[in-house]
Amino acid sequence: MAPVGGTAVQDHVALAEIELCGDLIIAASAAQDRLSLESIDEVLKVAEERDASSRP
């Protein structure tokens, strides 16, 4: 049972993971065939994350 008073805790990492999973599901449902590894990386914005982490 949820506590009364609106003391909900948000796990920002979990919410981000759920959003990424949703993005993958949408991409997979729109694709004609299986998603390639490159397509998955694009949906998950892997290159953008890699570029951002390499900046000082």
Side-chain angles (χ1 to χ4, degrees):
M1 187 167 161
V4 178
T7 58
V9 176
Q10 289 188 1
D11 184 343
H12 298 286
V13 174
L15 292 173
E17 289 179 0
I18 292 167
E19 184 177 352
L20 290 173
C21 287
D23 292 345
L24 277 174
I25 291 168
I26 292 167
S29 66
Q32 296 293 325
D33 204 4
R34 288 184 169 195
L35 292 177
S36 67
L37 293 177
E38 292 80 18
S39 296
I40 294 170
D41 285 350
E42 185 179 325
V43 170
L44 298 178
K45 301 177 180 136
V46 172
E48 292 174 21
E49 238 353 89
R50 194 175 298 134
D51 291 343
S53 66
S54 66
R55 292 183 196 135

